Amino acid sequence: MIRVLLLFFTFCCATLSFGQDLEDRDDSFITENNKNILKIDIKEPFMQIAVKCNDFKPAAYEGGAAAYKDILSRYMYTYLNSDFYTLSGDFVFTLTIDAAGKVTDIEGSPKVLHSEVFFDDMQYVVRRIKKNWIPASCGGQSVKSEMKLKMNFSSVSVDI
C-alpha cells in the first residue's frame, strides 16, 4: 500500500512539474510585415569629369542618359535591400568607367546615418547592369573616366 501511495505521489509531482503553465501562454498570433516604399529621381544630365586632353570625348551609354537612367532605376527597385535603412535626400554617385567601358567602381556621398549600407547596395545594383558604356576617349584612345550621377532618393518604412 505504501508503494502505491509513493508511486501515486511521484506521478502527481512529475505531472505538475512538467505541466504547462496556462497563465504564461500567449495564444495571440501577430504577423508584422514591414515594407519600404522607394522614391527614386535620377537627375539628368550626367556630369562627365573631363580628362586633361585637347579632343576629349565623354563616355556614353548606348541609348543615352535616359536609357541608363531607366535601367538603373528599374534595377534599384528590384535589387535594393532597403529593409535595413531608411534614407531621404540628395545623393551623388561617382561611377568609374575603365577604358573598356566597364563600371569598375561606384562611390556615393554624402555619408550620413545608414548610407554605407545603401552605397554597398548601389555597388551591387550597378554591377548587375551587364551592358557596358562606350568609354571616354582622348586623342582617339579609350581612357578611364568618371561620371557623376545625382539623384534624390527616399525610402519610407510602412507597416502592411
Side-chain angles (χ1 to χ4, degrees), residues 60-143:
Y61 193 77
E62 186 179 319
Y68 190 77
K69 176 182 167 180
D70 180 54
I71 195 167
L72 180 61
S73 63
R74 281 190 292 125
Y75 276 44
M76 286 175 72
Y77 283 117
T78 304
Y79 296 113
L80 281 181
N81 193 2
S82 61
D83 294 338
F84 296 107
Y85 49 85
T86 303
L87 294 171
S88 185
D90 292 323
F91 293 92
V92 177
F93 290 94
T94 304
L95 305 177
T96 303
I97 304 166
D98 69 8
K102 183 176 170 102
V103 177
T104 58
D105 192 26
I106 178 170
E107 289 187 27
S109 66
K111 308 248 188 282
V112 295
L113 184 64
H114 303 298
S115 65
E116 288 300 320
V117 178
F118 172 50
F119 297 158
D120 289 345
D121 274 0
M122 282 299 293
Q123 284 187 355
Y124 177 77
V125 167
V126 169
R127 287 188 177 123
R128 298 285 303 176
I129 300 172
K130 299 299 180 196
K131 195 174 198 182
N132 287 345
W133 287 72
I134 300 165
S137 65
C138 179
Q141 298 285 351
S142 297
V143 293

Side-chain angles (χ1 to χ4, degrees), residues 142-160:
S142 297
V143 293
K144 177 179 164 182
S145 65
E146 292 182 342
M147 184 75 68
K148 288 196 180 279
L149 309 175
K150 290 184 177 183
M151 75 173 65
N152 184 279
F153 178 81
S154 180
S155 63
V156 179
S157 181
V158 294
D159 291 335
I160 298 177

Side-chain angles (χ1 to χ4, degrees), residues 44-68:
E44 287 184 57
F46 301 157
M47 296 177 292
Q48 174 75 58
I49 299 173
V51 176
K52 292 184 182 183
C53 178
N54 291 335
D55 63 341
F56 178 74
K57 289 178 104 178
Y61 193 77
E62 186 179 319
Y68 190 77

